[in-house]
Amino acid sequence: MEEKELGKSLDFIRTIISEDVTSQKNDGRVHTRFPPEPNGYLHLGHAKSICLNFGIAEEFNGLCNLRLDDTNPSAEKAEYALAIQGDLRWLGFDWEDRLFHASDNFQQLYEWAIQLIKDHKAYVCDLTFEEMREYRGTLTEPGKNSPYRNREVSENIDLLERMKKGEFEEGTKTLRVKIDMNSPNLNMRDPVIYRIMHREHPETGDKWKIYPSYDFAHGQSDSLEGITHSLCTLEFEHHRPLYDWFCKNLGIHHPQQIEFARLNLNYTVMSKRKMLRLVEEGHVDGWDDPRMATLSGMRRRGFTPSSIRSFCDKVGLAKRENIIEMELLEFCLREDLNKSAHRRLGVLDPLKVTISNYPESKVEELDAINNPEDPTTGTRKVSFSREVFIDRNDFMEDPPKKYFRMAVGKEVRLKYAYYITCQKVIKDEDGKIIELICEYDPESRGGGTPDQRKVKGTIQWVDSTTAINPEIRLYDRLFKVPNPDEVEEGKDFLSNLNSDSLTSLSDALVEKSIEELQAGEPFQLERIGYFTLDTKAQEMGKLVLNRSVAMRDSWAKKHSK
RNA sequence: AGCCUGGUGGUGUAAUGGUAGCACAGGAGUUUUUGGUACUCUCAGUCGGGGUUCGAAUCCCUGCCGGGCUGCCA
């Protein structure tokens, strides 16, 4: 990652941090953290937070921790914790030996709860869910104090200890903190800081029967880890007064919470809840479906870590709600892959071309450039013979004016091979074109002629004697509309699903060298797009190509209007 | 409804009282053995209304619009 250049304008968070460093707040130290809850897979929205937290740490010579925010064992699993670390490493970030869990602090949090009780600032409450809701008041009306609010310190301690031991049923008691039932901020109306949960925890097993809430664990974990700037998304804004309240009343190191707007991408969904529905109801192939905005899905689709980091850098950072256009993501991928991906030849919809003046049994090896953007990658051999295949849409019987590709009587270049001219079109009984009879110019070997004559069209092809036939999957946006949440009365986001988001091609032909590639390794099929081999298919011994993103196509764009 | 928060081209983001800039998208062109890439040019914006000021995207007032909050989720 490159350093932020001095003099470049900083976003509002970096501005705050840089001022703090200048004023020697926290002794000029910068320490951030990325704190996912291990209850699902990481997605692009997390990537924004990851790049922010790790990026800032690096730019300010600080540190960034990974913390698993595991305060609620009902949905959290070790499997997720592992996947999170894998995705993070894949993205290219390193937390060294600083992997922490909120659960590492359960004992300390418990002691702090006792301290709050002794300070008359916390109490055990017997109100049920329903009662508590009634007592809380509403957005416009104040709440009223719980009848249990003034229990004796000793009784509170006794009750909390028994809650901890598991003497009470779930939902029968909570530990609440005594703040202000009249506060306009509902989070301050005596929030619950411990609830009873008779549940195994992935880290602490059955040791605890009570678990701290997010509000009671997050700021304190930040504090214990020596975090200086606690960056989170906007919906935690109303929790900041609570965050501050705990640090102040516990008298502990007080990190600064700063909120930023979360990332939204059009034509997709970015919440765990909605993604979970897509997975559970079978609308996609799993969390790592290549159409999903999860990091695992994007990895399988063929996104590179650096393209995602570049994207996160470009989306900017502010407090206003935003919906980023998919085009920016695609741009970042193409920008990266154009420079790094090797080129290969393939045709999605093969059309046979017989070169009538090419010797029957001759097969020759031609040189093809691996990457014109990087000459050091050299060339490879591709075979050529009398019978090759081109893409069906590279031929037209009645071409429009500026059509540069093949048509009867027109000369085109087969890339890296020869100039050919179509003489004749062969059709089946239904009138479908099944073969083109062409003649080649032996002088044009390699794609150029001694007389330097120009051909406007250059098309890709594959040789019939060596081509292989993998399955090719093309992906489109998952939803038909930019904002899937915009729905008619009575419908939900699933009604906006794009039923054509996956297209599988079975007839495609590609050059043989592709079977030697590793899953995940990006390559370009010239003029078609960037691809990678599907991981899951490769594990099963099948060759499946996922298209990561199509090439920009200004011709198609113009002619679709 | 109350509280909090935010409004800059189509999208996103800068400018912190002094030339409204950058990127993506869109349009036009040059180069090209990818209708790709690269390069050039171009379109397009301060939510409305008042005020303060020599000067306002920026400060004040007011209206409008968006988002968040009534979990023992995070």
PDB file of all heavy atoms in Angstrom, chain B residues 25-29 39-43:
ATOM      1  P     A B  25     -15.518   4.471 -16.299  1.00  0.00           P
ATOM      2  OP1   A B  25     -15.466   3.074 -16.759  1.00  0.00           O
ATOM      3  OP2   A B  25     -14.655   5.494 -16.924  1.00  0.00           O
ATOM      4  O5'   A B  25     -17.023   5.001 -16.366  1.00  0.00           O
ATOM      5  C5'   A B  25     -18.091   4.153 -15.974  1.00  0.00           C
ATOM      6  C4'   A B  25     -19.394   4.895 -16.049  1.00  0.00           C
ATOM      7  O4'   A B  25     -19.383   6.022 -15.132  1.00  0.00           O
ATOM      8  C3'   A B  25     -19.717   5.538 -17.396  1.00  0.00           C
ATOM      9  O3'   A B  25     -20.201   4.602 -18.327  1.00  0.00           O
ATOM     10  C2'   A B  25     -20.771   6.553 -16.982  1.00  0.00           C
ATOM     11  O2'   A B  25     -22.007   5.942 -16.734  1.00  0.00           O
ATOM     12  C1'   A B  25     -20.176   7.072 -15.669  1.00  0.00           C
ATOM     13  N9    A B  25     -19.312   8.224 -15.937  1.00  0.00           N
ATOM     14  C8    A B  25     -17.938   8.285 -15.994  1.00  0.00           C
ATOM     15  N7    A B  25     -17.468   9.467 -16.300  1.00  0.00           N
ATOM     16  C5    A B  25     -18.616  10.245 -16.466  1.00  0.00           C
ATOM     17  C6    A B  25     -18.800  11.589 -16.799  1.00  0.00           C
ATOM     18  N6    A B  25     -17.800  12.436 -17.051  1.00  0.00           N
ATOM     19  N1    A B  25     -20.070  12.048 -16.889  1.00  0.00           N
ATOM     20  C2    A B  25     -21.080  11.200 -16.645  1.00  0.00           C
ATOM     21  N3    A B  25     -21.025   9.901 -16.314  1.00  0.00           N
ATOM     22  C4    A B  25     -19.757   9.487 -16.242  1.00  0.00           C
ATOM     23  P     G B  26     -19.811   4.752 -19.841  1.00  0.00           P
ATOM     24  OP1   G B  26     -20.402   3.610 -20.548  1.00  0.00           O
ATOM     25  OP2   G B  26     -18.358   4.999 -19.912  1.00  0.00           O
ATOM     26  O5'   G B  26     -20.564   6.088 -20.276  1.00  0.00           O
ATOM     27  C5'   G B  26     -21.984   6.144 -20.228  1.00  0.00           C
ATOM     28  C4'   G B  26     -22.455   7.506 -20.662  1.00  0.00           C
ATOM     29  O4'   G B  26     -22.031   8.513 -19.702  1.00  0.00           O
ATOM     30  C3'   G B  26     -21.890   8.017 -21.981  1.00  0.00           C
ATOM     31  O3'   G B  26     -22.543   7.455 -23.094  1.00  0.00           O
ATOM     32  C2'   G B  26     -22.146   9.509 -21.850  1.00  0.00           C
ATOM     33  O2'   G B  26     -23.503   9.811 -22.067  1.00  0.00           O
ATOM     34  C1'   G B  26     -21.805   9.741 -20.379  1.00  0.00           C
ATOM     35  N9    G B  26     -20.396  10.123 -20.222  1.00  0.00           N
ATOM     36  C8    G B  26     -19.398   9.387 -19.631  1.00  0.00           C
ATOM     37  N7    G B  26     -18.232   9.990 -19.660  1.00  0.00           N
ATOM     38  C5    G B  26     -18.486  11.190 -20.317  1.00  0.00           C
ATOM     39  C6    G B  26     -17.615  12.264 -20.652  1.00  0.00           C
ATOM     40  O6    G B  26     -16.408  12.369 -20.420  1.00  0.00           O
ATOM     41  N1    G B  26     -18.279  13.279 -21.324  1.00  0.00           N
ATOM     42  C2    G B  26     -19.619  13.278 -21.633  1.00  0.00           C
ATOM     43  N2    G B  26     -20.073  14.337 -22.292  1.00  0.00           N
ATOM     44  N3    G B  26     -20.442  12.288 -21.326  1.00  0.00           N
ATOM     45  C4    G B  26     -19.813  11.285 -20.672  1.00  0.00           C
ATOM     46  P     G B  27     -21.696   7.135 -24.417  1.00  0.00           P
ATOM     47  OP1   G B  27     -22.628   6.447 -25.335  1.00  0.00           O
ATOM     48  OP2   G B  27     -20.405   6.521 -24.053  1.00  0.00           O
ATOM     49  O5'   G B  27     -21.407   8.604 -24.985  1.00  0.00           O
ATOM     50  C5'   G B  27     -22.471   9.408 -25.469  1.00  0.00           C
ATOM     51  C4'   G B  27     -21.930  10.733 -25.934  1.00  0.00           C
ATOM     52  O4'   G B  27     -21.324  11.429 -24.813  1.00  0.00           O
ATOM     53  C3'   G B  27     -20.793  10.663 -26.946  1.00  0.00           C
ATOM     54  O3'   G B  27     -21.254  10.433 -28.267  1.00  0.00           O
ATOM     55  C2'   G B  27     -20.166  12.039 -26.792  1.00  0.00           C
ATOM     56  O2'   G B  27     -20.956  13.031 -27.411  1.00  0.00           O
ATOM     57  C1'   G B  27     -20.249  12.222 -25.275  1.00  0.00           C
ATOM     58  N9    G B  27     -19.011  11.782 -24.617  1.00  0.00           N
ATOM     59  C8    G B  27     -18.835  10.667 -23.831  1.00  0.00           C
ATOM     60  N7    G B  27     -17.603  10.557 -23.384  1.00  0.00           N
ATOM     61  C5    G B  27     -16.935  11.656 -23.914  1.00  0.00           C
ATOM     62  C6    G B  27     -15.587  12.074 -23.779  1.00  0.00           C
ATOM     63  O6    G B  27     -14.674  11.532 -23.140  1.00  0.00           O
ATOM     64  N1    G B  27     -15.338  13.252 -24.491  1.00  0.00           N
ATOM     65  C2    G B  27     -16.258  13.934 -25.231  1.00  0.00           C
ATOM     66  N2    G B  27     -15.834  15.021 -25.855  1.00  0.00           N
ATOM     67  N3    G B  27     -17.525  13.560 -25.367  1.00  0.00           N
ATOM     68  C4    G B  27     -17.789  12.421 -24.674  1.00  0.00           C
ATOM     69  P     A B  28     -20.257   9.695 -29.303  1.00  0.00           P
ATOM     70  OP1   A B  28     -21.057   9.465 -30.526  1.00  0.00           O
ATOM     71  OP2   A B  28     -19.589   8.571 -28.617  1.00  0.00           O
ATOM     72  O5'   A B  28     -19.160  10.804 -29.616  1.00  0.00           O
ATOM     73  C5'   A B  28     -19.502  11.973 -30.357  1.00  0.00           C
ATOM     74  C4'   A B  28     -18.285  12.832 -30.532  1.00  0.00           C
ATOM     75  O4'   A B  28     -17.789  13.236 -29.234  1.00  0.00           O
ATOM     76  C3'   A B  28     -17.081  12.151 -31.172  1.00  0.00           C
ATOM     77  O3'   A B  28     -17.176  12.076 -32.579  1.00  0.00           O
ATOM     78  C2'   A B  28     -15.946  13.063 -30.716  1.00  0.00           C
ATOM     79  O2'   A B  28     -15.911  14.258 -31.468  1.00  0.00           O
ATOM     80  C1'   A B  28     -16.381  13.375 -29.287  1.00  0.00           C
ATOM     81  N9    A B  28     -15.775  12.444 -28.322  1.00  0.00           N
ATOM     82  C8    A B  28     -16.341  11.361 -27.699  1.00  0.00           C
ATOM     83  N7    A B  28     -15.522  10.730 -26.887  1.00  0.00           N
ATOM     84  C5    A B  28     -14.332  11.448 -26.992  1.00  0.00           C
ATOM     85  C6    A B  28     -13.078  11.298 -26.383  1.00  0.00           C
ATOM     86  N6    A B  28     -12.786  10.330 -25.519  1.00  0.00           N
ATOM     87  N1    A B  28     -12.112  12.182 -26.707  1.00  0.00           N
ATOM     88  C2    A B  28     -12.392  13.152 -27.579  1.00  0.00           C
ATOM     89  N3    A B  28     -13.536  13.403 -28.218  1.00  0.00           N
ATOM     90  C4    A B  28     -14.483  12.506 -27.867  1.00  0.00           C
ATOM     91  P     G B  29     -16.414  10.849 -33.315  1.00  0.00           P
ATOM     92  OP1   G B  29     -16.715  10.999 -34.758  1.00  0.00           O
ATOM     93  OP2   G B  29     -16.747   9.578 -32.617  1.00  0.00           O
ATOM     94  O5'   G B  29     -14.866  11.140 -33.049  1.00  0.00           O
ATOM     95  C5'   G B  29     -14.152  12.018 -33.886  1.00  0.00           C
ATOM     96  C4'   G B  29     -12.828  12.375 -33.275  1.00  0.00           C
ATOM     97  O4'   G B  29     -12.943  12.453 -31.838  1.00  0.00           O
ATOM     98  C3'   G B  29     -11.687  11.392 -33.467  1.00  0.00           C
ATOM     99  O3'   G B  29     -11.133  11.455 -34.765  1.00  0.00           O
ATOM    100  C2'   G B  29     -10.702  11.880 -32.405  1.00  0.00           C
ATOM    101  O2'   G B  29     -10.033  13.052 -32.833  1.00  0.00           O
ATOM    102  C1'   G B  29     -11.657  12.240 -31.262  1.00  0.00           C
ATOM    103  N9    G B  29     -11.727  11.168 -30.263  1.00  0.00           N
ATOM    104  C8    G B  29     -12.789  10.324 -29.978  1.00  0.00           C
ATOM    105  N7    G B  29     -12.516   9.479 -29.018  1.00  0.00           N
ATOM    106  C5    G B  29     -11.211   9.776 -28.645  1.00  0.00           C
ATOM    107  C6    G B  29     -10.374   9.190 -27.660  1.00  0.00           C
ATOM    108  O6    G B  29     -10.632   8.261 -26.888  1.00  0.00           O
ATOM    109  N1    G B  29      -9.124   9.790 -27.622  1.00  0.00           N
ATOM    110  C2    G B  29      -8.721  10.833 -28.429  1.00  0.00           C
ATOM    111  N2    G B  29      -7.480  11.272 -28.256  1.00  0.00           N
ATOM    112  N3    G B  29      -9.487  11.391 -29.352  1.00  0.00           N
ATOM    113  C4    G B  29     -10.713  10.813 -29.396  1.00  0.00           C
ATOM    114  P     C B  39      -3.509   7.758 -19.847  1.00  0.00           P
ATOM    115  OP1   C B  39      -2.666   8.267 -18.749  1.00  0.00           O
ATOM    116  OP2   C B  39      -4.913   7.386 -19.603  1.00  0.00           O
ATOM    117  O5'   C B  39      -3.487   8.808 -21.047  1.00  0.00           O
ATOM    118  C5'   C B  39      -2.257   9.273 -21.569  1.00  0.00           C
ATOM    119  C4'   C B  39      -2.485  10.013 -22.853  1.00  0.00           C
ATOM    120  O4'   C B  39      -3.012   9.093 -23.849  1.00  0.00           O
ATOM    121  C3'   C B  39      -3.535  11.111 -22.797  1.00  0.00           C
ATOM    122  O3'   C B  39      -3.036  12.309 -22.229  1.00  0.00           O
ATOM    123  C2'   C B  39      -3.889  11.257 -24.274  1.00  0.00           C
ATOM    124  O2'   C B  39      -2.901  11.976 -24.978  1.00  0.00           O
ATOM    125  C1'   C B  39      -3.877   9.802 -24.720  1.00  0.00           C
ATOM    126  N1    C B  39      -5.223   9.194 -24.654  1.00  0.00           N
ATOM    127  C2    C B  39      -6.089   9.418 -25.731  1.00  0.00           C
ATOM    128  O2    C B  39      -5.698  10.102 -26.690  1.00  0.00           O
ATOM    129  N3    C B  39      -7.336   8.887 -25.709  1.00  0.00           N
ATOM    130  C4    C B  39      -7.714   8.161 -24.658  1.00  0.00           C
ATOM    131  N4    C B  39      -8.950   7.654 -24.673  1.00  0.00           N
ATOM    132  C5    C B  39      -6.852   7.919 -23.548  1.00  0.00           C
ATOM    133  C6    C B  39      -5.622   8.445 -23.588  1.00  0.00           C
ATOM    134  P     U B  40      -4.011  13.304 -21.468  1.00  0.00           P
ATOM    135  OP1   U B  40      -3.172  14.303 -20.768  1.00  0.00           O
ATOM    136  OP2   U B  40      -5.026  12.529 -20.716  1.00  0.00           O
ATOM    137  O5'   U B  40      -4.746  14.020 -22.685  1.00  0.00           O
ATOM    138  C5'   U B  40      -4.009  14.795 -23.617  1.00  0.00           C
ATOM    139  C4'   U B  40      -4.930  15.283 -24.706  1.00  0.00           C
ATOM    140  O4'   U B  40      -5.426  14.138 -25.457  1.00  0.00           O
ATOM    141  C3'   U B  40      -6.198  15.970 -24.218  1.00  0.00           C
ATOM    142  O3'   U B  40      -5.975  17.321 -23.859  1.00  0.00           O
ATOM    143  C2'   U B  40      -7.113  15.821 -25.432  1.00  0.00           C
ATOM    144  O2'   U B  40      -6.784  16.753 -26.445  1.00  0.00           O
ATOM    145  C1'   U B  40      -6.747  14.412 -25.913  1.00  0.00           C
ATOM    146  N1    U B  40      -7.670  13.399 -25.374  1.00  0.00           N
ATOM    147  C2    U B  40      -8.879  13.237 -26.033  1.00  0.00           C
ATOM    148  O2    U B  40      -9.182  13.906 -27.009  1.00  0.00           O
ATOM    149  N3    U B  40      -9.711  12.286 -25.511  1.00  0.00           N
ATOM    150  C4    U B  40      -9.464  11.491 -24.416  1.00  0.00           C
ATOM    151  O4    U B  40     -10.310  10.667 -24.064  1.00  0.00           O
ATOM    152  C5    U B  40      -8.190  11.713 -23.781  1.00  0.00           C
ATOM    153  C6    U B  40      -7.356  12.639 -24.268  1.00  0.00           C
ATOM    154  P     C B  41      -6.833  17.993 -22.701  1.00  0.00           P
ATOM    155  OP1   C B  41      -6.211  19.290 -22.386  1.00  0.00           O
ATOM    156  OP2   C B  41      -7.027  16.980 -21.635  1.00  0.00           O
ATOM    157  O5'   C B  41      -8.243  18.244 -23.401  1.00  0.00           O
ATOM    158  C5'   C B  41      -8.321  19.104 -24.526  1.00  0.00           C
ATOM    159  C4'   C B  41      -9.623  18.871 -25.250  1.00  0.00           C
ATOM    160  O4'   C B  41      -9.722  17.477 -25.643  1.00  0.00           O
ATOM    161  C3'   C B  41     -10.886  19.081 -24.417  1.00  0.00           C
ATOM    162  O3'   C B  41     -11.214  20.442 -24.260  1.00  0.00           O
ATOM    163  C2'   C B  41     -11.910  18.326 -25.267  1.00  0.00           C
ATOM    164  O2'   C B  41     -12.266  19.066 -26.415  1.00  0.00           O
ATOM    165  C1'   C B  41     -11.090  17.101 -25.698  1.00  0.00           C
ATOM    166  N1    C B  41     -11.344  15.956 -24.789  1.00  0.00           N
ATOM    167  C2    C B  41     -12.546  15.255 -24.949  1.00  0.00           C
ATOM    168  O2    C B  41     -13.331  15.608 -25.826  1.00  0.00           O
ATOM    169  N3    C B  41     -12.814  14.211 -24.129  1.00  0.00           N
ATOM    170  C4    C B  41     -11.942  13.855 -23.193  1.00  0.00           C
ATOM    171  N4    C B  41     -12.246  12.817 -22.419  1.00  0.00           N
ATOM    172  C5    C B  41     -10.706  14.557 -23.001  1.00  0.00           C
ATOM    173  C6    C B  41     -10.442  15.600 -23.819  1.00  0.00           C
ATOM    174  P     U B  42     -12.044  20.883 -22.982  1.00  0.00           P
ATOM    175  OP1   U B  42     -12.247  22.346 -23.078  1.00  0.00           O
ATOM    176  OP2   U B  42     -11.432  20.307 -21.764  1.00  0.00           O
ATOM    177  O5'   U B  42     -13.434  20.158 -23.242  1.00  0.00           O
ATOM    178  C5'   U B  42     -14.264  20.569 -24.328  1.00  0.00           C
ATOM    179  C4'   U B  42     -15.489  19.688 -24.368  1.00  0.00           C
ATOM    180  O4'   U B  42     -15.081  18.304 -24.423  1.00  0.00           O
ATOM    181  C3'   U B  42     -16.373  19.753 -23.135  1.00  0.00           C
ATOM    182  O3'   U B  42     -17.234  20.876 -23.202  1.00  0.00           O
ATOM    183  C2'   U B  42     -17.132  18.433 -23.213  1.00  0.00           C
ATOM    184  O2'   U B  42     -18.196  18.502 -24.137  1.00  0.00           O
ATOM    185  C1'   U B  42     -16.058  17.494 -23.772  1.00  0.00           C
ATOM    186  N1    U B  42     -15.400  16.702 -22.720  1.00  0.00           N
ATOM    187  C2    U B  42     -16.119  15.612 -22.217  1.00  0.00           C
ATOM    188  O2    U B  42     -17.234  15.332 -22.605  1.00  0.00           O
ATOM    189  N3    U B  42     -15.467  14.885 -21.250  1.00  0.00           N
ATOM    190  C4    U B  42     -14.207  15.129 -20.742  1.00  0.00           C
ATOM    191  O4    U B  42     -13.746  14.379 -19.878  1.00  0.00           O
ATOM    192  C5    U B  42     -13.533  16.268 -21.313  1.00  0.00           C
ATOM    193  C6    U B  42     -14.144  16.993 -22.260  1.00  0.00           C
ATOM    194  P     C B  43     -17.765  21.541 -21.870  1.00  0.00           P
ATOM    195  OP1   C B  43     -18.195  22.914 -22.215  1.00  0.00           O
ATOM    196  OP2   C B  43     -16.791  21.325 -20.788  1.00  0.00           O
ATOM    197  O5'   C B  43     -19.065  20.684 -21.568  1.00  0.00           O
ATOM    198  C5'   C B  43     -20.073  20.505 -22.554  1.00  0.00           C
ATOM    199  C4'   C B  43     -21.045  19.458 -22.098  1.00  0.00           C
ATOM    200  O4'   C B  43     -20.378  18.169 -22.039  1.00  0.00           O
ATOM    201  C3'   C B  43     -21.570  19.665 -20.683  1.00  0.00           C
ATOM    202  O3'   C B  43     -22.669  20.558 -20.698  1.00  0.00           O
ATOM    203  C2'   C B  43     -21.980  18.258 -20.282  1.00  0.00           C
ATOM    204  O2'   C B  43     -23.252  17.911 -20.785  1.00  0.00           O
ATOM    205  C1'   C B  43     -20.917  17.403 -20.978  1.00  0.00           C
ATOM    206  N1    C B  43     -19.818  16.992 -20.104  1.00  0.00           N
ATOM    207  C2    C B  43     -20.011  15.859 -19.286  1.00  0.00           C
ATOM    208  O2    C B  43     -21.104  15.272 -19.330  1.00  0.00           O
ATOM    209  N3    C B  43     -19.003  15.446 -18.482  1.00  0.00           N
ATOM    210  C4    C B  43     -17.838  16.103 -18.475  1.00  0.00           C
ATOM    211  N4    C B  43     -16.876  15.660 -17.677  1.00  0.00           N
ATOM    212  C5    C B  43     -17.628  17.264 -19.285  1.00  0.00           C
ATOM    213  C6    C B  43     -18.634  17.666 -20.078  1.00  0.00           C
TER     214        C B  43
END
